[in-house]
Amino acid sequence: MAAGGDAIGRDDDGRVVFVEGGLPGEVLDVEITDERKDFARGRVTAVLEPGPGRTAPPCPNVALGCGGCQWQHIGPVTQLELKAAVVDDALRRIGRFSPEELPAMTTHAVAPTGYRTTLRMAVDRGGRPSYRLRHSHQLLAPAQCMVAHPALEELVVEGRFPGAREVTARVSAATGERLVLVTPRAVEVRVPPDVIVVGANSLKKGRPAFIVERVAGRDWRVSALSFFQSGPAAAEALVGVVDAAVGEALPTGGLVVDTYAGVGLLGGVVAARRAARLVAVESSASSVDDASHNLVDLEARVERASIDHWRPSLGGSPDVVIADPPRAGLGAAAAEVLTGLGASRLILVGCDPASLARDARLITSAGYTLSGVDVVDLFPHTFHIEAVARFDRIVRDATHPVQSSP
Ligand SMILES: C[S@@+](CC[C@H](N)C(=O)[O-])C[C@H]1O[C@@H](n2cnc3c(N)ncnc32)[C@H](O)[C@@H]1O
C-alpha cells in the first residue's frame, strides 16, 4: 500500500498503477483515471481475485462515493497490518534504516466505530454538514456516520447551518457537552438546545467556547480552535503508548519537555504520573490557553512558541523530550532544536510515515539510536497512520561507545 491509501500494482505492461480501493495480492479490473510517464492512477471496477482482508464496506455512504473513509473495503485487522507495513517501508526507503537498525514494531488500535468526537465538515446548500465525495468538490450530507460518536453523529446528521461554509462539531464523550464552530458566522442555526454554537467571527472577539473531555483520569479543557486527538479513545491509546515509551527514562521529579503540546495531553499525563516537572511548548494561542488551564495542578510551564525558533531556557538537559508535530513533521530546524536539548530519550509522534522517517533519520544523525516503534491506529477505516518512535541518546565514551541506559 502507498502512504496515501492506494494499493500499488502493475498493469499488463508492467507499469506501476496506484489503485484506489485495491489491496495487496489482488487481481483487479481498474479504470485508469490519470496517466503519467512512469505510472498511472486508477480505481477498481471489478475484483477478479480478492486479497486477504477484503471485506464489504460496513458503511452505506461508501457506495454513495463518500470521501470520509478510504479503507472501508479492508477488515480492521488487515488495516492495522497494512499501516504497520507502510511505516516499516517508509523507515527503510525514506529513512534509509537497515533491518538491523529497525526495532520490532508493535501495533495498537482503537475500536473502529463511534471513535470520532470532532468532525470538520463542509456545509451544503441546504445547510447540512457534508463530506466531500471522493475526487470531487461535490458534497454528500450523510444520513449516518459510523465512525462518529453517537452524540456527534446526531449533531451532524440533524443539525442545519444555512448560509455557512463549514462547521466544526465537537462533543465530549465524558460530559456529553457539544459545541459547533460555524464558519463564517452562525445565523439561523438549528441544533438541539444543549449545543454551544459559536461563529468564527465572534470567537475572534474572545467569546470562550470549549468542552471538557476526560482522558487518563484527568479533565481536559478543549476549546473550539484547539487541536485534540480523534477522540478520547485515541487520546487514551496514544497516551498509553507514549507513557510506556517514556518508561523509566523520566524519574520522579525529573524534567520532561512536551513540544507541539496542544492542550497539554501527552506531557501532562506523563508528568502527572511521575510527579515530574513539565515544560510544554505550543504555537496556537487557543491550545496554550487550554494547556495552561489543564496543567495548573502540575509543576508545569507552558510556553507559546514555534519550535523551529524556540529559544529554550531550561537550566540543563531534560530527561525526556516528546514531539508530536503536524503532518509536515519536524524538519531540520526543529529537529536541531530538539536534539540540541540533550535529553536521554526523545519520543516522536508522527501522523505521516514519510515525515516520520525523514525526522527519524535527522534524529539518529544527531546522536540518537532508534529504540522503539509503535503503530497506533487512531483513525480506523481511513488511511491515516500514527506512529510513535522512541530514540535513546548515544553516550560516547572515548574508549567504549555505549548507549545511555536511563
Ligand atoms: C498533532 S497536534 C499534537 C497535540 C498534542 N500533542 C496532543 O496529543 O493533543 C500538533 C500541535 O502542534 C501545534 N503546532 C503546529 N506547528 C507548530 C510549531 N511550529 N511549533 C509549535 N507548535 C506547533 C499545533 O497547534 C497542534 O496543537
Side-chain angles (χ1 to χ4, degrees):
M1 302 299 276
D6 293 346
I8 307 170
R10 289 189 183 273
D11 65 12
D12 293 339
D13 299 328
R15 176 179 60 166
V16 168
V17 186
F18 291 90
V19 183
E20 178 193 319
L23 263 174
E26 299 195 310
V27 181
L28 304 162
D29 262 346
V30 172
E31 175 196 6
I32 298 296
T33 51
D34 184 13
E35 299 220 44
R36 303 290 170 95
K37 190 160 164 270
D38 300 325
F39 67 91
R41 295 187 183 281
R43 63 176 79 111
V44 176
T45 51
V47 180
L48 306 180
E49 288 175 29
R54 179 167 283 276
T55 187
C59 175
N61 295 332
V62 175
L64 303 174
C66 180
C69 297
Q70 310 81 12
W71 275 19
Q72 292 241 354
H73 61 293
I74 310 173
V77 172
T78 309
Q79 288 180 32
L80 186 55
E81 288 167 2
L82 293 174
K83 289 181 186 192
V86 170
V87 172
D88 185 69
D89 179 63
L91 287 168
R92 285 169 198 261
R93 229 171 14 84
I94 301 169
R96 300 185 317 282
F97 286 90
S98 67
E100 298 71 44
E101 286 177 290
L102 283 181
M105 205 179 274
T106 56
T107 55
H108 320 254
V110 300
T113 55
Y115 63 85
R116 287 203 75 146
T117 54
T118 300
L119 279 173
R120 187 169 151 199
M121 300 172 80
V123 176
D124 75 2
R125 285 173 185 213
R128 295 172 303 180
S130 303
Y131 290 115
R132 292 194 190 285
L133 295 185
R134 283 191 297 272
H135 309 296
S136 166
H137 293 300
Q138 279 185 290
L139 299 178
L140 170 78
Q144 70 245 310
C145 178
M146 64 176 281
V147 296
H149 183 280
L152 181 65
E153 184 186 36
E154 184 201 42
L155 194 49
V156 297
V157 169
E158 292 175 17
R160 294 293 177 268
F161 307 88
R165 201 171 55 242
E166 188 182 283
V167 288
T168 301
R170 173 168 274 172
V171 304
S172 163
T175 62
E177 292 164 310
R178 302 196 283 184
L179 148 68
V180 278
L181 169 62
V182 188
T183 305
R185 67 187 74 79
V187 185
E188 294 178 39
V189 165
R190 275 173 278 147
V191 290
D194 65 284
V195 179
I196 305 162
V197 180
V198 61
N201 288 345
S202 59
L203 204 61
K204 280 189 202 133
K205 292 179 196 143
R207 190 176 150 198
F210 59 81
I211 54 110
V212 176
E213 190 53 276
R214 197 160 180 82
V215 176
R218 292 178 64 88
D219 283 345
W220 301 93
R221 189 182 90 180
V222 186
S223 292
L225 292 179
S226 298
F227 173 89
F228 197 65
Q229 300 294 343
S230 65
E236 200 84 48
L238 191 61
V239 159
V241 170
V242 168
D243 187 56
V246 168
E248 74 291 359
L250 181 63
T252 304
L255 176 63
V256 55
V257 175
D258 183 9
T259 59
Y260 308 88
V263 301
L265 179 75
L266 302 176
V269 174
V270 160
R273 286 183 178 167
R274 294 164 180 80
R277 292 166 293 134
L278 167 64
V279 174
V281 191
E282 159 65 46
S283 62
S284 133
S286 169
S287 295
V288 164
D289 276 356
D290 286 341
S292 303
H293 175 89
N294 293 333
L295 306 174
V296 76
D297 61 317
L298 304 180
E299 201 180 323
R301 188 171 89 215
V302 182
E303 292 187 26
R304 185 173 177 204
S306 174
I307 302 301
D308 318 38
H309 309 292
W310 182 45
R311 298 270 171 273
S313 153
L314 302 173
S317 286
D319 298 288
V320 172
V321 169
I322 300 170
D324 183 8
R327 291 185 69 79
L330 300 176
E336 193 179 334
V337 170
L338 298 185
T339 54
L341 296 176
S344 58
R345 185 164 288 177
L346 203 154
I347 313 288
L348 175 63
V349 182
C351 54
D352 179 81
S355 311
L356 180 90
R358 273 192 293 272
D359 291 340
R361 181 45 77 196
L362 289 169
I363 292 167
T364 54
S365 302
Y368 284 80
T369 182
L370 178 61
S371 55
V373 181
D374 290 81
V375 173
V376 200
D377 194 357
L378 306 182
F379 288 92
H381 295 309
T382 78
F383 61 71
H384 294 294
I385 300 176
E386 200 86 13
V388 178
R390 189 184 86 179
F391 303 86
D392 285 309
R393 190 158 59 93
I394 299 167
V395 180
R396 293 196 193 282
D397 178 272
T399 44
H400 303 289
V402 287
Q403 187 179 313
S404 70
S405 51

